[in-house]
Amino acid sequence: MARIVMKFGGTSVADLNRIHNVARHVKREVDAGHEVAVVVSAMSGKTNELVGWVENMPKVAGSNAPFYDAREYDAVVASGEQVTSGLLAIALQSMGINARSWQGWQLPIRTDNAHGAARILDIDGTDITRRMGEGQVAVVAGFQGLGPDNRLATLGRGGSDTSAVAIAAAVKADRCDIYTDVAGVYTTDPRIEPKARRLKKIAFEEMLEMASLGAKVLQVRSVELAMVHKVRTFVRSSFEDPDAPGMGDLMNPPGTLICDEDEIVEQEVVTGIAYAKDEAQISLRRLADRPGVSAAIFGPLAEAHINVDMIVQNISEDGSKTDMTFTVPSGDVDKALRVLGDNKEKIGYDVIQSESGLVKVSVIGIGMRSHAGVAASAFRALADKGINIKAITTSEIKISILIDGPYAELAVRTLHSTYGLDKS
Ligand code: ADP
Ligand code: ASP
Ligand code: MG
């Protein structure tokens, strides 16, 4: 007997038939004698609809700034998961399974006060653990918890993954299965490159990079929690027949295991390619080249909660003036330009230029630590396709390249084949 947390994403609970199908997956594990807790997302498209309602509330005449209260945003957008948790509990009960839904505040899942992007601080797993021991399945609404102000707090988009891993850690589960609409983690998004291969295993560090660099198959924070708490996490499909052979395999279910690096015997140099759309580039021209100039730029941007990513500073020719280029999410460009405009005197630049609609493509692999020439082959391959590189950043295990938006798919496919990742 094992203790298993099963998480089902939006497409897996998209309608009543799919919820019934999810209940069959849960029943398989219950019938095998396991203790089970389930985490659900909202029906696919629901959270977007709810966010749209909040953002599109008609504004007071004369005001053009988008205004909404983050606590009320959370009250609205957390409702999608409340619906699916109740519906799944009903579906399970109709199959004769003892099941009960739980909202984040009922457990409670305690979070910090960052409404809209809250972090889980603590989960009281006692009640669920006791009930699981008595044969009850807890169906927990993902994506939500209870803030210190005693109000609902949501965990940022994709946050149900994090709910699931955090609950798995809290109840000391033997396994956390993240069920989605693809069969695991692939060498790149299988919807962009049909030749992408499913990985049997991927190291925590690589999965962290993949997720941070745009592969939305797992929320970044869920991977961090799985790594810190050593949660045995699998990504697998809810679209396969719940009763097909091997689906209930305890140690090796079909899917991808996220694990420690040393569990992977055959480590490739490059493991995967990720991409992030909607990046924007901002350049400050003819800045004074003196100590404190970077702090003068990035301090006010940080205070405005603008997430700056790639930063490139030119070496000045004569030691007096330089240029600084960096990227921010496209949605933050206007705000960033406003902040930089307000601080023009203090920073001391000549002009600002900006460009939106860019894409960051990244090559990821732990094997890069010990192999030279990986970056050079990416640059050569992109050049051969006529793709211009706007900025580059590297770390020990990744190379990120900023390019024009329309080239995203071509660049992903080109790099995928350059590193021999295409399935044969
Ligand atoms: P869910 O609703 O189940 O949480 P998501 O849409 O958040 O599902 O994540 C699954 C999607 O992630 C897949 O449909 C796929 O298009 C995308 N994806 C991006 N990169 C990868 C990758 N490397 N491997 C698998 N899926 C990926
Ligand atoms: N429903 C939320 C979202 O769409 C959380 C999740 O699906 O993980 O972001
Ligand atoms: Mg998701």
Side-chain angles (χ1 to χ4, degrees):
M1 193 210 67
R3 187 172 290 166
I4 303 175
V5 173
M6 308 170 77
K7 179 258 170 178
F8 296 90
T11 41
S12 305
V13 294
D15 56 37
L16 296 183
N17 284 329
R18 300 250 26 107
I19 291 177
H20 175 79
N21 179 68
V22 161
R24 290 180 55 212
H25 280 284
V26 176
K27 184 171 174 4
R28 181 190 64 236
E29 306 295 358
V30 171
D31 287 350
H34 303 313
E35 290 182 1
V36 178
V38 185
V39 174
V40 284
S41 291
M43 292 180 179
S44 62
K46 193 63 190 174
T47 310
N48 287 345
E49 183 186 35
L50 295 167
V51 171
W53 287 349
V54 173
E55 290 182 343
N56 295 317
M57 181 67 80
K59 297 183 183 62
V60 176
S63 110
N64 54 8
F67 172 82
Y68 55 80
D69 181 300
R71 288 171 181 77
E72 301 312 336
Y73 166 97
D74 279 348
V76 176
V77 303
S79 64
E81 275 73 9
Q82 174 160 347
V83 173
T84 46
S85 59
L87 288 173
L88 180 58
I90 292 171
L92 288 167
Q93 288 169 2
S94 73
M95 291 178 181
I97 295 170
N98 177 6
R100 187 54 70 207
S101 70
W102 294 89
Q103 306 311 299
W105 59 269
Q106 287 173 305
L107 288 174
I109 296 174
R110 297 234 173 248
T111 71
D112 64 14
N113 213 15
H115 284 274
R119 280 166 80 94
I120 294 179
L121 301 177
D122 180 51
I123 297 182
D124 188 345
T126 340
D127 208 18
I128 302 197
T129 313
R130 180 179 55 75
R131 285 163 183 265
M132 282 199 294
E134 293 165 1
Q136 189 174 83
V137 174
V139 185
V140 183
F143 182 50
Q144 50 166 272
L146 184 66
D149 53 0
N150 218 22
R151 301 200 62 89
L152 271 173
T154 61
L155 309 179
R157 299 307 304 270
S160 298
D161 299 328
T162 301
S163 309
V165 175
I167 288 170
V171 304
K172 301 194 173 41
D174 299 290
R175 221 172 69 203
C176 180
D177 289 357
I178 308 283
Y179 285 82
T180 183
D181 55 4
V182 289
V185 179
Y186 284 70
T187 45
T188 194
D189 187 344
R191 296 188 198 286
I192 292 243
E193 175 51 280
K195 291 190 207 130
R197 273 188 287 120
R198 182 172 63 81
L199 298 160
K200 286 273 321 151
K201 294 179 179 179
I202 181 168
F204 286 120
E205 287 85 349
E206 289 172 325
M207 193 63 236
L208 261 183
E209 291 286 2
M210 291 276 276
S212 328
L213 295 168
K216 66 168 183 167
V217 61
L218 285 176
Q219 199 196 33
V220 179
R221 181 81 184 125
S222 71
V223 187
E224 283 171 3
L225 286 181
M227 185 156 104
V228 171
H229 296 285
K230 302 234 168 290
V231 178
R232 202 167 171 79
T233 304
F234 284 86
V235 176
R236 54 188 299 190
S237 170
S238 75
F239 284 71
E240 285 163 44
D241 177 0
D243 300 314
M247 288 297 280
D249 190 319
L250 191 57
M251 292 315 290
N252 283 305
T256 302
L257 173 66
I258 325 293
C259 60
D260 277 329
E261 188 181 334
D262 48 21
E263 268 197 64
I264 301 176
V265 186
E266 282 169 47
Q267 185 70 58
E268 307 284 341
V269 178
V270 169
T271 305
I273 315 289
Y275 66 94
K277 289 193 169 161
D278 294 325
E279 301 277 316
Q281 173 179 295
I282 297 180
S283 298
L284 298 177
R285 302 289 177 206
R286 292 179 289 286
L287 282 166
D289 193 10
R290 56 172 167 77
V293 88
S294 299
I297 298 170
F298 299 113
L301 291 174
E303 276 162 32
H305 303 289
I306 295 168
N307 210 350
V308 174
D309 183 17
M310 305 168 107
I311 302 178
V312 184
Q313 183 184 350
N314 283 354
I315 306 285
S316 76
E317 210 177 310
D318 59 0
S320 73
K321 299 279 176 192
T322 183
D323 289 340
M324 180 87 79
T325 296
F326 53 90
T327 62
V328 298
S330 279
D332 282 346
V333 176
D334 290 344
K335 191 157 131 197
L337 293 178
R338 250 194 332 268
V339 170
L340 295 167
D342 291 347
N343 287 277
K344 184 164 195 240
E345 300 268 284
K346 237 195 273 158
I347 302 170
Y349 58 87
D350 195 354
V351 280
I352 302 190
Q353 292 164 326
S354 70
E355 191 180 2
S356 296
L358 307 179
V359 167
K360 182 175 64 177
V361 182
S362 305
V363 178
I364 296 139
I366 280 179
M368 276 187 218
R369 283 187 196 135
S370 47
H371 281 80
V374 180
S377 4
F379 305 151
R380 168 59 33 225
L382 295 178
D384 287 347
K385 298 283 182 192
I387 301 174
N388 190 35
I389 297 175
K390 293 174 163 289
I392 302 164
T393 51
T394 61
S395 80
E396 245 189 342
I397 66 165
K398 69 122 207 260
I399 306 155
S400 290
I401 300 168
L402 190 70
I403 59 170
D404 280 323
Y407 290 104
E409 301 191 358
L410 177 61
V412 167
R413 294 198 189 110
T414 302
L415 295 173
H416 196 263
S417 73
T418 299
Y419 296 107
L421 298 175
D422 290 357
K423 72 178 163 212
S424 41

